[in-house]
Amino acid sequence: MAPEEDAGTELLLQSFERRFLAARALRSFPWQSLEAKLRDSSDSELLRDILQKTVKHPVCVKHPPSVKYARCFLSELIKKHEAVHTEPLDELYEALAETLMAKESTQGHRSYLLPSGGSVTLSESTAIISHGTTGLVTWDAALYLAEWAIENPAAFTDRTVLELGSGAGLTGLAICKMCRPRAYIFSDCHSRVLEQLRGNVLLNGLSLEADITANLDSPRVTVAQLDWDVTTVHQLSAFQPDVVIAADVLYCPEAIMSLVGVLRRLAACREHQRAPEVYVAFTVRNPDTCQLFTTELGRAGITWEAEPRHDQKLFPYEEHLEMAILNLTM
């Protein structure tokens, strides 16, 4: 195989690996590139390699995605194989048979590979809205903010970080594993989200603060219930964060007003100290919503500037989406 073909195959395998482990929508996979490579070769080795990078991946074997997802993926892979090759590939049908016999669950795993060679694995609800909240799944701006954090570890190293609206916990877990914060506080208001968050912290080998066996090299990790509308300056002052982050929390006007309110209280509780650095990441779905956020920041006396777009593409998310990170000064 020519070096350029070898590199192309490696990129294809990497794309399948990252998308499958993260259980991304099947339409996002590079199926056309796969079909072209299958047409150019009568060898089935590429499909065997894809199986090793997906359903047979060690991370996936330990923490599989939903059964339905794996079943749909394998059905699509078989369809692509049959369109080009007349000889069936036993390994594909055996893998599909295993998913047909497996029991479906309301939870599935999504895993994200880190530059360190490790990974972050999340147990998530298979429904986008579950138990009356959207916080049980990972949204794209959380991935974008995690990438930015990994590219800018000095913003978090040896510092106390408070995350507002942590959801499934992807951003915080990536920061804890890659940026060496002194302490990390995950927070959310929904009891089911908090329960899942605690589980995901433990799933990734981190200890919660009360654990006396906690690894001294790991950050102190807390999962806190935080309702932006009712929390007081006194309650917030207990956190003493150096850095505050939030991702994909600007989904409606009410959430924006609540977020700006809690940011004002966070600034007030550090009256005689330097206010925390704040980074808010979001997907630009509705320009009016973004405009409302910056307008309300201005009314609260909070200035902002947009962080430059980063080049590091570690995680699979929708590339056509416009995403931004604002650095706020309180």
Side-chain angles (χ1 to χ4, degrees):
M1 187 183 291
E4 61 271 16
E5 289 179 29
D6 208 11
T9 300
E10 192 55 45
L11 283 172
L12 182 72
L13 289 171
Q14 187 182 83
S15 181
F16 268 85
E17 176 184 51
R18 291 186 172 184
R19 282 171 168 77
F20 184 82
L21 292 182
R24 299 298 295 188
L26 292 184
R27 68 177 182 275
S28 73
F29 283 69
W31 297 111
Q32 288 185 323
S33 299
L34 173 62
E35 286 175 336
K37 286 197 173 291
L38 290 176
R39 278 194 298 270
D40 290 343
S41 171
S42 58
D43 189 5
S44 297
E45 201 56 42
L46 176 58
L47 287 167
R48 291 191 180 92
D49 288 343
I50 287 175
L51 282 178
Q52 292 301 321
K53 291 284 189 179
T54 56
V55 292
K56 296 182 184 294
H57 194 291
V59 171
C60 183
V61 170
K62 190 175 181 182
H63 303 298
S66 77
V67 173
K68 182 180 178 183
Y69 181 81
R71 189 182 300 145
C72 291
F73 171 78
L74 287 164
S75 297
E76 191 64 26
L77 205 55
I78 287 170
K79 198 185 300 180
K80 300 303 180 194
H81 171 70
E82 289 179 341
V84 178
H85 296 298
T86 53
E87 281 293 310
L89 185 62
D90 290 346
E91 290 97 320
L92 284 175
Y93 294 96
E94 286 164 8
L96 181 62
E98 284 180 25
T99 68
L100 292 171
M101 290 185 289
K103 187 180 176 184
E104 187 59 89
S105 168
T106 56
Q107 293 288 116
H109 294 96
R110 294 177 189 263
S111 297
Y112 302 89
L113 302 179
L114 298 172
S116 61
S119 61
V120 169
T121 294
L122 306 173
S123 175
E124 291 189 351
S125 169
T126 53
I128 287 179
I129 296 180
S130 177
H131 298 274
T133 177
T134 57
L136 295 170
V137 295
T138 297
W139 297 88
D140 285 334
L143 298 167
Y144 187 71
L145 181 57
E147 283 182 344
W148 181 87
I150 291 168
E151 206 172 64
N152 297 275
F156 306 97
T157 302
D158 293 327
R159 307 181 87 184
T160 296
V161 184
L162 168 63
E163 183 178 5
L164 301 172
S166 298
L170 180 279
T171 305
L173 290 167
I175 289 172
C176 286
K177 289 192 173 193
M178 295 296 297
C179 303
R180 302 181 67 84
R182 180 172 61 250
Y184 198 96
I185 303 136
F186 295 88
S187 74
D188 217 290
C189 68
H190 197 284
S191 59
R192 182 68 184 85
V193 175
L194 293 167
E195 181 187 330
Q196 180 175 270
L197 258 174
R198 291 187 189 98
N200 283 335
V201 168
L202 300 176
L203 183 65
N204 285 273
L206 295 168
S207 302
L208 290 165
E209 197 169 50
D211 186 355
I212 57 170
T213 64
N215 182 352
L216 295 177
D217 290 332
S218 296
R220 292 195 321 273
V221 176
T222 311
V223 174
Q225 184 157 28
L226 194 62
D227 186 328
W228 300 348
D229 291 325
V230 300
T231 190
T232 64
V233 170
H234 177 70
Q235 289 168 327
L236 290 169
S237 64
F239 296 130
Q240 290 295 301
D242 302 302
V243 184
V244 177
I245 66 170
D248 257 332
V249 294
L250 309 181
Y251 47 85
C252 68
E254 292 77 17
I256 288 170
M257 304 304 282
S258 298
L259 175 62
V260 173
V262 81
L263 290 174
R264 290 178 75 165
R265 274 167 269 151
L266 276 164
C269 70
R270 302 271 296 220
E271 195 175 353
H272 302 297
Q273 298 168 275
R274 184 181 171 187
E277 294 172 20
V278 182
Y279 301 96
V280 179
F282 53 92
T283 303
V284 182
R285 295 186 180 89
N286 181 345
D288 290 343
T289 305
C290 302
Q291 181 64 50
L292 176 63
F293 180 51
T294 54
T295 299
E296 290 303 319
L297 288 175
R299 284 183 180 156
I302 300 172
T303 59
W304 59 271
E305 63 176 339
E307 288 291 324
R309 284 192 62 83
H310 59 269
D311 299 325
Q312 195 158 337
K313 186 76 166 63
L314 296 174
F315 306 125
Y317 48 78
E318 299 289 346
E319 292 184 23
H320 67 273
L321 294 176
E322 183 186 350
M323 283 183 275
I325 298 173
L326 298 190
N327 179 355
L328 313 185
T329 303
M330 300 197 293

